[in-house]
Amino acid sequence: MNNIRKNIEDLRKQIPAGVKIVAVSKTKTVEEIRRAWDCGLRIFGENRVQELVSKNETTCFGIDWHMIGHLQTNKVKYISSFISLIHSVDSLKLLIEINKEAEKNNRIIPCLLQFHIAAEETKFGFGIDEIYKISESGGFGNLSNVCITGVMGMASFTDDKKIIEREFRGLFNIFSELKKNIFPRNTCFREVSMGMSNDYLIAIGQGSTMIRIGSNIFGGR
Ligand SMILES: *Cc1c(COP(=O)(O)O)cnc(C)c1O
């Protein structure tokens, strides 16, 4: 039996109060989500649109849903009415689509820019040069229904703590640079989403404000 309550208590003991926990509930049941909610967790993350929509419809206790996985442009419309933060914005095209859907729903959708910080080829995300290019061509200018609230990234899948630490430090440096050079007037640009079950302590050491924890709360998948 997996003790969700104890897992959450153990997790809370290790992290500073200012760091937000995104409880990653992918593949887990509404019953398990409810148990984590009863321990005070309010933010839940999913990585697939269909599962996210279905769980949003079957829970009615006011969850803050975060989209943490790769998002296809043609699926934005299914989550745009309720999503509270999209962590995985990895193209201008996607950002423009989110803006359009947010406008239809008469709301502003907070978004994080996902950066490619890992050694692996397959992980999605921007490089910082792309952000400078978009900014210089005025690409962020007309998006009044999205708010870019920070950055997100995933470290390499490795046991080498030095590599993970270096990649997270790199993401924090990207965050600081963008805050200074691209989004200086954007007061909501303040989140650094990094750290999962295996590396959240390293991430917090490097300035994470938001950790995304699945297995350490709900058990393995
Ligand atoms: C699954 C997932 C997590 C959580 O992973 P755990 O190792 O179970 O904590 C975090 N972020 C993203 C983007 C994920 O897909």
Side-chain angles (χ1 to χ4, degrees):
M1 234 276 296
N2 186 47
N3 193 336
I4 291 177
R5 176 171 295 275
K6 178 158 191 318
N7 292 346
I8 294 171
E9 281 168 5
D10 289 348
L11 183 62
R12 284 208 174 105
K13 277 181 207 144
Q14 295 172 39
I15 66 171
V19 174
K20 299 184 190 84
I21 301 172
V22 179
V24 177
S25 51
K26 62 192 186 197
T27 78
K28 300 298 172 180
T29 62
V30 167
E31 165 68 31
E32 289 167 300
I33 292 173
R34 178 77 217 194
R35 276 196 270 158
W37 170 275
D38 287 343
C39 299
L41 294 187
R42 293 295 174 262
I43 308 173
F44 289 78
E46 291 282 338
N47 68 337
R48 289 176 58 244
V49 167
Q50 204 181 357
E51 191 172 342
L52 177 56
V53 169
S54 134
K55 284 175 176 170
N56 178 54
E57 283 166 0
T58 47
T59 50
C60 56
F61 30 96
I63 287 176
D64 271 350
W65 286 112
H66 287 194
M67 177 62 186
I68 61 170
H70 181 63
L71 179 58
Q72 286 172 277
T73 310
N74 62 356
K75 294 197 174 160
V76 174
K77 58 177 177 285
Y78 302 118
I79 62 170
S80 51
S81 66
F82 68 88
I83 199 73
S84 21
L85 178 63
I86 299 174
H87 289 233
S88 43
V89 175
D90 58 2
S91 72
L92 179 60
K93 182 169 164 251
L94 178 59
L95 195 61
I96 290 170
E97 178 66 16
I98 296 169
N99 185 67
K100 193 181 98 192
E101 287 298 321
E103 196 175 356
K104 277 191 202 161
N105 285 280
N106 201 15
R107 59 187 297 248
I108 291 171
I109 299 182
C111 292
L112 303 179
L113 302 174
Q114 182 173 354
F115 284 87
H116 181 268
I117 56 169
E120 289 110 49
E121 281 286 328
T122 52
K123 298 211 169 131
F124 296 102
F126 287 107
I128 192 161
D129 294 350
E130 289 174 81
I131 302 301
Y132 277 110
K133 269 190 212 141
I134 294 170
S135 173
E136 279 156 22
S137 58
F140 294 121
N142 295 320
L143 303 171
S144 47
N145 288 77
V146 293
C147 182
I148 297 173
T149 59
V151 302
M152 178 270 218
M154 271 184 279
S156 293
F157 187 72
T158 170
D159 290 332
D160 190 334
K161 290 192 164 51
K162 286 268 169 300
I163 293 178
I164 297 173
E165 190 176 80
R166 191 179 65 215
E167 290 172 352
F168 283 151
R169 188 180 312 120
L171 183 61
F172 191 85
N173 289 341
I174 288 173
F175 166 76
S176 307
E177 190 176 330
L178 295 182
K179 192 172 174 60
K180 177 162 160 270
N181 295 340
I182 313 267
F183 304 110
R185 283 177 300 275
N186 183 349
T187 52
C188 63
F189 191 83
R190 57 177 170 225
E191 302 290 357
V192 182
S193 167
M194 59 185 188
M196 318 192 346
S197 291
N198 287 328
D199 55 20
Y200 65 92
L201 289 176
I202 305 174
I204 291 169
Q206 296 306 316
S208 173
T209 64
M210 207 179 250
I211 55 176
R212 309 178 310 271
I213 307 293
S215 340
N216 280 18
I217 293 175
F218 296 107
R221 288 179 297 271

